[in-house]
Each structure stands twice: as structure tokens, then as C-alpha cells.
Amino acid sequence: MSILAPYWFAMVNRGVLAQPYWWDEQWTISVQHTEADIDKHLAVFEEIAPALAKAQQERGLAFVARLVTSPLQ
């Protein structure tokens, strides 16, 4: 599972409506965004980034654990 969905929902839950979570849209900034909009986006991202990184690492570790413990088929 991609980390983009948790990113999107975490941003929305904090009042930032990020672009849809498709691979080429998640970092889009519009000319309609003000400096304050961009600052809020960056501040919220800074707040959620550690949790996203931890979740991504745990998913990776869980995937490796499944590979190690699953019988070969």
C-alpha cells in the first residue's frame, strides 16, 4: 500500500486539502496558493512526516517479515 493515502488524510484532518493522492499530483502547488497557504502546508507536513516515515518503515519491516516467515510456494 502506498503512503500517499495516509499523507492525504493526515493533511485533510489538519485543514490542508492536498491534491489527490496520485503519483504525479501530490506535490502540486497552484498559482492561487498564497505564501500563507504554502507555509501552512509545510508546517502540517513537518508535523506529520515523522509518523509517515515510521508507518512506511513498519510496512517495509512487516513485508520483509512475511517474506522470511512464509513458506516458499
Side-chain angles (χ1 to χ4, degrees):
M1 180 201 288
S2 171
I3 199 69
L4 296 177
Y7 156 78
W8 191 84
F9 284 107
M11 296 297 279
V12 168
N13 288 337
R14 288 161 180 80
V16 176
L17 186 55
Q19 288 286 1
Y21 52 90
W22 193 245
W23 70 272
D24 64 341
E25 297 173 332
Q26 70 268 21
W27 304 113
T28 303
I29 299 292
S30 166
V31 295
Q32 296 295 316
H33 288 105
T34 65
E35 290 290 324
D37 294 329
I38 294 168
D39 290 344
K40 181 173 182 177
H41 186 116
L42 293 173
V44 170
F45 182 76
E46 184 176 8
E47 177 186 336
I48 67 169
L52 292 173
K54 182 179 179 186
Q56 185 69 22
Q57 182 181 26
E58 288 171 356
R59 285 185 181 135
L61 292 175
F63 177 74
V64 170
R66 281 195 309 269
L67 287 176
V68 171
T69 60
S70 296
L72 295 175
Q73 297 182 12

